[in-house]
Amino acid sequence: MSDRGMLAVVSGFSGAGKGTLMKRLLEKYDCYALSVSATTRAPRDGEEHGREYFFHTKEEFEELILQDALIEYAKYVDNYYGTPKSYVEKQLEAGKDVILEIEIQGALKVKEKLPDTLLLFVTPPSAEELKRRLEGRGTETPEVIASRLRRASEEAKAMPLYDYILVNDDLETCVDQMHEIIQSQHNTVANNTSFIEKITDEVSVFAKGE
């Protein structure tokens, strides 16, 4: 079977609990690596280069774009964010399943470049619950919450473009579902062409009556 890791991209509404989900998945199962994004924004207190982000200057980042060293990138409010190709490739080669948590546009760009990518969309069980979670954080103003909810109505339109929808109602259940979905991809026909060729070749001797 294929020893190479799978690349899974996770997107979802703000307030769907993606961060908590990723953290728990990595705690519970040791076959995953979380992709680290590159950015031009300044490090916040306690953040380290290569852990939370790869921090770059604007010039360095634009050089990465020119070298086609990023799987995808985007610019938000004067700062660049992107996914370094070499880091992801290294983890996949080592047999790790790489999880990439990015927004929808980025996710679709990754799928375009790497068609084997698995796209997962995380959502709460209802719009009411989404609103409750955003308000429950107590960190955002009513204006910010309203704008995130407006954005959710736009983001929902992209859900049919994803491979799987994960309803994050109970955290542990959702983590296990995510793990099962990603692991099952290792057994798809598309990911096992060399194994199929090998066993087809091996069983062909039976046809010769040997």
Side-chain angles (χ1 to χ4, degrees):
M1 301 303 250
S2 168
D3 293 332
R4 188 178 157 82
M6 289 291 310
L7 177 60
V9 174
V10 177
S11 313
F13 304 126
S14 176
K18 298 184 297 294
T20 315
L21 204 53
M22 305 290 91
K23 193 169 174 286
R24 187 68 190 114
L25 185 78
L26 294 171
E27 281 169 3
K28 203 166 180 178
Y29 301 104
D30 61 2
C31 54
Y32 296 104
L34 198 56
S35 171
V36 180
S37 296
T39 185
T40 54
R41 81 153 170 77
R44 291 182 187 140
D45 280 351
E47 288 184 335
E48 276 178 36
H49 179 78
R51 191 180 64 191
E52 281 79 14
Y53 283 97
F54 293 112
F55 294 100
H56 291 283
T57 63
K58 187 167 175 283
E59 291 69 29
E60 286 169 348
F61 200 100
E62 285 170 350
E63 187 54 40
L64 292 173
I65 295 170
L66 288 174
Q67 290 170 359
D68 193 28
L70 300 165
I71 301 174
E72 58 78 40
Y73 70 92
K75 199 173 187 178
Y76 297 107
V77 203
D78 298 337
N79 280 311
Y80 283 116
Y81 291 85
T83 305
K85 207 185 274 180
S86 62
Y87 179 81
V88 169
E89 197 51 48
K90 205 164 94 186
Q91 302 287 346
L92 292 173
E93 284 299 327
K96 286 275 187 192
D97 292 323
V98 179
I99 311 280
L100 183 53
E101 189 205 318
I102 49 174
E103 46 66 61
I104 293 162
Q105 280 69 28
L108 298 176
K109 279 186 201 168
V110 174
K111 183 87 171 180
E112 209 173 282
K113 254 189 182 170
L114 305 166
D116 290 347
T117 304
L118 189 61
L119 296 186
L120 306 170
F121 195 97
V122 179
T123 171
S126 67
E128 203 41 57
E129 176 61 15
L130 179 68
K131 189 166 187 258
R132 197 187 65 73
R133 286 183 194 177
L134 283 169
E135 288 170 348
R137 282 178 178 177
T139 51
E140 279 123 352
T141 62
E143 293 75 34
V144 169
I145 291 170
S147 82
R148 285 179 192 262
L149 290 170
R150 273 197 305 276
R151 202 168 98 200
S153 72
E154 277 305 302
E155 289 170 334
K157 294 172 187 168
M159 287 168 84
L161 302 171
Y162 278 67
D163 297 307
Y164 290 91
I165 300 296
L166 280 166
V167 178
N168 186 13
D169 193 357
D170 173 73
L171 179 68
E172 292 302 315
T173 307
C174 194
V175 165
D176 292 342
Q177 277 179 340
M178 185 183 268
H179 175 66
E180 280 163 25
I181 287 169
I182 297 168
Q183 294 318 305
S184 72
Q185 296 305 301
H186 285 278
N187 302 325
T188 62
V189 165
N191 288 322
N192 287 288
T193 46
S194 57
F195 174 77
I196 291 167
E197 279 167 23
K198 176 178 164 288
I199 198 130
T200 305
D201 200 36
E202 286 171 3
V203 296
S204 67
V205 300
F206 300 141
K208 297 170 190 153
E210 288 166 22

